[in-house]
């Protein structure tokens, strides 16, 4: 069997506007997410609890939206649904400029949360159509790198803007973010619309999707992987600063290290993995996650400040390698395991696993952390073991997981 050369960088010339739309989206997200709570506290008379309740309610109510639009993607194609998601988020951010009550924040936040859920439900369908077989890991890796760099640039811009701390600056951040989604909408106009070919079998609809036990194991694996992805931003900052009492810059260093590693090395690493069996690489990714969690736990046993910081950074490096090797392969397996005529529904279900992880992770991880270092990190090691077990399972029953990276 000849394995195509996956080290060749994916050609983006034909689809540079789609890539540009992803860059704009990620920068906008990187700008607003770090200041979302600060923005509402600075521009409204609401309390922290009221704002938090509004955002949480909006996130939970947005969970069903992704699966609901899966059928629309299968019928009309991904492009119009992606553009509708852009408009929803533009409207949501524009609404943030005038909100002053809890229910108004919830409505606008729902538009944004639903828009992002829809966007990522369609995202895999579009990438699968644009990328040639054998290049999909590279495409998902490239776009993952682009998003991480965009988040980092957005975070840097936010740090500069927040140093001024005025109402006008906060409003400008939101206005620019709303405008960015309008630009993304325009850029998406040139993206080919990915629709199933006439005559392809879409019979069965959602019933067929939910009866596909092999694909449900792919979704279960996605849930485990997504929980690990949320652990870094939710648990590590509080653990490093409040539990270990390390300098505040430690949390920033961990985040920066993670962002730079993913942004600048993911494509290289995926190229080096060309020819490896996908499921085995996923197992290795979960092993990297687990090693990182054990290093985080070990830092709790170290009294020397400098050594504890070093162990935390080593843990972040191991964790990030898990993200680097698993990040592009997980969506590739999910996309290639879905039949063309129902890919919208299949990937919407897979994205629901990510949304559920994002909804429950803050409460679950903070609750575990309040119990103690061993509780949270050993629990996450357990999630990694389960993820590795599921990766092994899909490697036996799912053809896309049995394939080689870069293989056709």
């Amino acid at each position: 069997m000849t394995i195509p050369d996956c080290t060749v960088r994916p050609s983006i010339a034909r689809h540079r506007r789609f890539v540009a739309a992803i860059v704009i989206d990620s920068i906008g997200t990187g700008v607003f997410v770090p200041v979302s709570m600060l923005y509402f506290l600075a521009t409204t008379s609401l309390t922290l609890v009221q704002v938090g309740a509004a955002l949480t309610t909006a996130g939970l109510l947005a969970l069903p939206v992704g699966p609901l639009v899966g059928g629309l993607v299968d019928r009309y194609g991904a492009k119009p649904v992606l553009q509708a998601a852009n408009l929803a988020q533009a409207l949501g951010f524009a609404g943030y400029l005038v909100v002053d009550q809890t229910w108004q924040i919830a409505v606008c936040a729902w538009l944004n949360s639903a828009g992002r859920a829809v966007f990522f439900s369609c995202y895999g369908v579009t990438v699968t159509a644009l990328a040639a077989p054998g290049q999909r890991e590279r495409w998902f890796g490239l776009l993952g790198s682009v998003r991480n760099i965009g988040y980092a640039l957005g975070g840097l811009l936010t740090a500069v803007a927040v140093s001024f701390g005025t109402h006008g600056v906060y409003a400008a951040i939101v206005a620019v973010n709303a405008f960015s989604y309008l630009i993304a909408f325009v850029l998406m106009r040139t993206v080919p619309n990915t629709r199933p070919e006439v005559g392809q079998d879409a019979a069965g609809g959602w019933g067929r999707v939910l009866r596909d036990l092999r694909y449900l194991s792919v979704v279960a694996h996605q849930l485990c992987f997504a929980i690990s992805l949320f652990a870094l931003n939710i648990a590590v900052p509080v653990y490093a600063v409040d539990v270990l009492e390390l300098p505040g810059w430690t949390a920033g260093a961990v985040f920066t290290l993670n962002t730079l590693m993913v942004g600048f090395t993911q494509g290289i690493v995926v190229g080096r993995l060309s020819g490896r069996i996908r499921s085995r690489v996923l197992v290795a990714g979960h092993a990297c996650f687990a090693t990182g969690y054990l290093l985080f736990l070990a830092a709790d046993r170290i009294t020397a400040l400098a050594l504890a910081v070093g162990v935390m950074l080593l843990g972040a490096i191991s964790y990030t390698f898990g993200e680097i090797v698993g990040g592009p392969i997980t969506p590739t397996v999910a996309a290639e395991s879905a039949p063309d005529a129902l890919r919208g529904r299949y990937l919407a279900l897979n994205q629901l696993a990510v949304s559920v992880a994002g909804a429950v992770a803050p409460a679950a991880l903070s609750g575990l952390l309040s119990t103690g270092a061993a509780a949270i990190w050993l629990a996450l090691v357990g999630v990694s073991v389960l993820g590795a077990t599921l990766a092994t399972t899909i490697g036996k029953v799912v053809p896309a997981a049995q394939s080689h990276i870069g293989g056709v």
Side-chain angles (χ1 to χ4, degrees):
M1 176 179 180
T2 301
I3 304 298
D5 183 8
C6 192
T7 62
V8 178
R9 191 172 184 80
S11 173
I12 64 172
R14 293 176 54 205
H15 308 300
R16 59 185 180 275
R17 292 196 176 186
F18 175 68
V19 176
I22 299 299
V23 172
I24 291 170
D25 174 271
S26 59
I27 292 176
T29 300
V31 168
F32 184 73
V33 168
V35 300
S36 56
M37 297 295 287
L38 293 175
Y39 171 78
F40 293 118
L41 293 176
T43 60
T44 71
S45 59
L46 301 176
T47 66
L48 181 64
V49 173
Q50 290 174 313
V51 173
L55 296 178
T56 299
T57 301
L60 292 174
L61 291 177
L63 285 178
V65 175
L68 287 176
V69 301
L72 297 178
V73 174
D74 290 331
R75 175 172 295 185
Y76 301 109
K79 176 181 171 179
V81 183
L82 278 171
Q83 290 188 292
N86 290 145
L87 291 179
Q89 291 175 93
L91 182 60
F93 275 102
Y96 283 163
L97 295 171
V98 297
V99 297
D100 60 4
Q101 296 183 44
T102 304
W103 70 268
Q104 293 172 338
I105 293 178
V107 170
C108 293
W110 179 84
L111 284 172
N112 287 320
S113 297
R116 290 204 69 73
V118 170
F119 179 88
F120 281 108
S121 294
C122 303
Y123 170 77
V125 178
T126 303
V127 175
T128 304
L130 297 182
Q135 283 284 297
R136 285 167 182 156
E137 292 96 348
R138 293 287 289 176
W139 265 96
F140 279 113
L142 170 67
L143 295 175
S145 298
V146 164
R147 289 204 310 272
N148 270 272
I149 294 172
Y151 295 153
L153 289 174
L156 179 62
L157 292 173
T158 294
V160 175
V162 171
S163 66
F164 294 96
T166 65
H167 186 287
V169 168
Y170 284 124
I173 289 174
V174 173
V176 169
N177 218 8
F179 185 63
S180 73
Y181 285 109
L182 293 178
I183 296 176
F185 171 85
V186 174
L187 291 172
M188 287 289 181
R189 293 177 60 187
T190 61
V191 175
N193 191 24
T194 54
R195 301 177 64 179
E197 296 180 5
V198 176
Q200 286 187 332
D201 183 17
W206 272 109
R208 179 178 167 187
V209 177
L210 296 176
R211 288 192 300 270
D212 189 341
L213 297 181
R214 292 189 301 179
Y215 197 79
L216 292 181
S217 65
V218 172
V219 174
H221 173 267
Q222 176 68 78
L223 179 62
C224 291
F225 192 81
I227 290 172
S228 283
L229 290 183
F230 285 108
L232 186 75
N233 289 340
I234 294 173
V236 169
V238 178
Y239 177 68
V241 177
D242 291 350
V243 177
L244 301 184
E245 298 182 345
L246 299 178
W249 56 262
T250 305
V254 167
F255 175 77
T256 301
L257 181 63
N258 171 266
T259 301
L260 293 177
M261 285 181 64
V262 174
F264 292 103
T265 70
Q266 189 164 60
I268 297 172
V269 172
V270 172
R272 296 286 185 182
L273 292 173
S274 178
R276 272 60 172 191
I277 296 175
R278 289 169 174 168
S279 62
R280 294 179 183 176
V281 176
L282 290 175
V283 171
H286 288 290
C288 290
F289 280 145
T291 302
Y293 298 144
L294 291 174
L295 286 168
F296 293 153
L297 177 59
D300 187 47
R301 306 292 191 267
I302 298 173
T303 56
L305 179 63
L307 184 56
V309 171
V311 171
M312 286 294 296
L313 293 178
L314 283 175
I317 291 172
S318 179
Y319 168 96
T320 302
F321 270 114
E323 181 178 351
I324 287 172
V325 301
I329 300 172
T330 302
T332 301
V333 171
E336 293 188 357
S337 300
D340 290 343
L342 291 172
R343 184 166 284 129
R345 291 177 176 88
Y346 270 76
L347 292 188
L349 179 63
N350 193 63
Q351 179 59 32
L352 179 62
V354 180
S355 299
V356 169
V360 304
L365 294 177
S366 60
L368 287 168
L369 189 55
S370 67
T371 304
I376 184 170
W377 301 123
L378 292 180
L380 285 171
V381 168
V383 170
S384 297
V385 171
L386 178 58
T389 302
L390 287 167
T392 302
T393 299
I394 64 177
K396 296 177 181 178
V397 300
V398 178
Q402 298 167 348
S403 300
H404 294 78
I405 295 175
V408 179

